[in-house]
């Protein structure tokens, strides 16, 4: 019987709609794994009916040491949710439009996916909180779910629904404000909310945002104090009625203000509950629209998920740089 220790193995859960050349990416990751002394990675593609959960569970059953999400925020959310509560870390190979978890953790969103894979194999783990959700849908049914970055109850869910995938591929994150422009005249609607043990109160609401992390695309800090590791949500309760109020609200956000005003009410809490007082409102989790929801409750699960973060210092060392010729060669041959 051999006493040779088995080599570590990564799994890669890949969204095929987000990667231009699946074959090239797979070959690059096999080469990187071999050079790093790892076994050939387990390659698992998402499907419409299973956007990452089942694939991650398969990777856990097969004893993988790390599970990478190669896709957008939706793929990251499903893989991360399935890994939460385990000791197996999530690796990030950003391929989407927002890539918000990567941005908030300082992982490159502009480079080669295979280079991020190589850097993360030599990276370090950080442990983050996750957000848990219980929601009652418009038809009266209940559902439970998870988010890693940010959830929104109201207008931002409508905007996510309205944003074209084709437009996102063409112009990136700018597709979201373009889709949102049609809603600047939408009137805020009453919502009842409570934070931790505080008394419920109502507010005319455009959207209620609940953040584990607070940075958006283009460096926008919607919640400057949110860091995903402190056991607290940062919430922003927005209300804007018409273009002028939208302009003032946007200016306040771009200025990174932490003030509470009539348009922006900020709270830090570990639990939030909210109810739409009129029609059900759209609920989105990390950009995935859960559906139209009557009421919801969210709470922090502290230190629930390990994330492997590429070490910037290590990425310059020779054991990572040696992967570059193979990665660049594969890229030039595409």
């Amino acid at each position: 019987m051999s006493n040779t220790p088995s080599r570590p193995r990564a799994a890669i859960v890949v969204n095929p709609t987000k990667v231009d050349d699946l074959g090239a990416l797979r070959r690059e990751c096999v080469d990187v794994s071999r050079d790093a002394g790892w076994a050939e990675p387990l390659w698992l593609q998402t499907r419409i009916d299973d956007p990452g959960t089942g694939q991650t569970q398969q990777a856990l059953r097969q004893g993988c040491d790390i599970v990478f999400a190669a896709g957008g925020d939706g793929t990251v959310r499903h893989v991360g949710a399935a890994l939460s509560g385990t000791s197996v870390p999530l690796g990030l190979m950003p391929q989407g439009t927002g890539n918000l978890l990567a941005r908030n953790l300082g992982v490159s969103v502009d480079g080669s996916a295979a280079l991020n894979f190589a850097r993360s194999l030599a990276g370090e783990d950080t442990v983050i909180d996750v957000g848990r959700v219980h929601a009652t849908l418009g038809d009266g049914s209940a559902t439970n779910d998870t988010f890693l970055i940010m959830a929104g109850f109201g207008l931002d869910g409508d905007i996510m629904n309205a944003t074209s995938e084709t437009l996102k591929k063409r112009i990136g994150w700018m597709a979201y404000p373009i889709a949102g422009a049609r809603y600047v005249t939408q009137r805020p609607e009453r919502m009842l909310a409570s934070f931790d043990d505080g008394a419920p109160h109502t507010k005319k609401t455009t959207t209620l945002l609940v953040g584990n992390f607070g940075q958006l695309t283009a460096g926008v800090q919607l919640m400057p104090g949110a860091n995903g590791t402190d056991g607290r949500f940062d919430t922003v309760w927005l209300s804007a009625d018409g273009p002028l109020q939208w302009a003032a609200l946007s200016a306040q956000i771009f200025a990174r203000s932490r003030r509470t005003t009539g348009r922006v009410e900020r709270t830090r809490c570990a639990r939030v509950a909210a109810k739409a007082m009129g029609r059900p409102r759209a609920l989105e989790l990390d950009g995935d629209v859960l559906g139209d929801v009557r009421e919801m409750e969210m709470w922090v699960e502290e230190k629930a998920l390990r994330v492997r973060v590429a070490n910037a210092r290590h990425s310059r060392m020779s054991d990572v740089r040696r992967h570059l010729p193979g990665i660049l060669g594969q890229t030039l041959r595409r």
Side-chain angles (χ1 to χ4, degrees):
M1 186 174 181
S2 173
N3 292 321
T4 303
S6 61
R7 292 181 294 167
R9 189 184 193 192
I12 301 172
V13 178
V14 59
N15 182 341
T17 70
K18 300 292 185 180
V19 178
D20 292 332
D21 191 333
L22 286 168
L25 178 60
R26 187 171 187 176
R27 290 190 297 272
E28 290 163 5
C29 292
V30 168
D31 291 345
V32 166
S33 297
R34 181 185 61 245
D35 292 346
W38 286 55
E40 180 175 331
L42 177 64
W43 183 266
L44 301 165
Q45 291 186 198
T46 65
R47 306 187 306 270
I48 292 175
D49 64 333
D50 191 346
T53 302
Q55 295 84 349
T56 306
Q57 292 170 342
Q58 179 181 341
L60 291 172
R61 289 194 299 269
Q62 294 191 218
C64 291
D65 298 276
I66 182 172
V67 183
F68 283 84
D73 290 325
T75 307
V76 171
R77 183 175 77 86
H78 285 283
V79 174
L83 290 174
S84 63
T86 77
S87 61
V88 177
L90 165 69
L92 300 172
M93 297 167 66
Q95 295 289 288
T97 304
N99 301 314
L100 293 185
L101 185 60
R103 293 177 193 274
N104 278 275
L105 292 177
V107 175
S108 171
V109 299
D110 300 318
S112 158
L115 186 55
N116 269 326
F117 177 73
R119 288 173 171 173
S120 294
L121 290 183
E124 299 175 350
D125 290 351
T126 187
V127 185
I128 67 170
D129 306 330
V130 303
R132 301 297 190 190
V133 182
H134 177 79
T136 302
L137 301 175
D139 62 6
S141 62
T143 187
N144 297 295
D145 219 313
T146 298
F147 67 96
L148 309 182
I149 312 150
M150 194 177 299
F153 189 27
L155 178 62
D156 56 308
D158 295 328
I159 293 173
M160 297 296 174
N161 262 334
T163 305
S164 160
E165 287 293 327
T166 301
L167 193 60
K168 284 198 291 183
K169 287 184 177 180
R170 286 178 54 196
I171 64 172
W173 64 268
M174 279 297 297
Y176 294 113
I178 288 173
R182 73 186 70 175
Y183 293 101
V184 294
T185 58
Q186 181 172 297
R187 304 295 297 274
E189 300 177 46
R190 288 204 172 274
M191 184 179 291
L192 176 72
S194 62
F195 306 93
D196 287 339
D197 297 325
H201 64 291
T202 62
K203 180 183 179 73
K204 285 187 176 181
T205 302
T206 300
T207 195
L208 172 62
L209 293 161
V210 181
N212 193 33
F213 292 92
Q215 180 178 328
L216 305 179
T217 53
V220 175
Q221 289 284 354
L222 179 62
M223 302 164 184
N227 64 32
T229 61
D230 59 2
R232 309 281 285 177
F233 291 134
D234 282 53
T235 70
V236 181
W237 208 354
L238 300 178
S239 179
D241 191 353
L244 291 178
Q245 289 193 15
W246 268 113
L249 185 152
S250 299
Q252 186 174 342
I253 290 172
F254 282 113
R256 300 190 179 190
S257 170
R258 302 189 186 197
R259 293 185 303 115
T260 287
T261 68
R263 290 180 296 270
V264 182
E265 182 175 332
R266 295 181 180 273
T267 308
R268 302 195 75 240
C269 60
R271 182 177 293 265
V272 55
K275 180 178 182 179
M277 302 301 288
R279 64 182 176 92
R281 306 293 300 274
L283 176 65
E284 61 88 7
L285 308 175
D286 295 349
D288 287 341
V289 180
L290 196 63
D292 288 335
V293 166
R294 294 188 182 280
E295 54 186 311
M296 63 79 176
E297 185 174 12
M298 300 179 181
W299 61 96
V300 175
E301 185 172 338
E302 292 187 60
K303 310 295 184 186
L305 177 63
R306 303 185 73 85
V307 184
R308 181 71 52 84
V309 177
N311 187 311
R313 175 184 58 83
H314 213 135
S315 71
R316 294 191 294 269
M317 294 173 64
S318 60
D319 62 337
V320 175
R321 286 204 309 267
R322 72 188 184 201
H323 302 310
L324 287 173
I327 292 170
L328 292 174
Q330 292 281 5
T331 302
L332 291 172
R333 289 194 294 273
R334 292 183 189 181

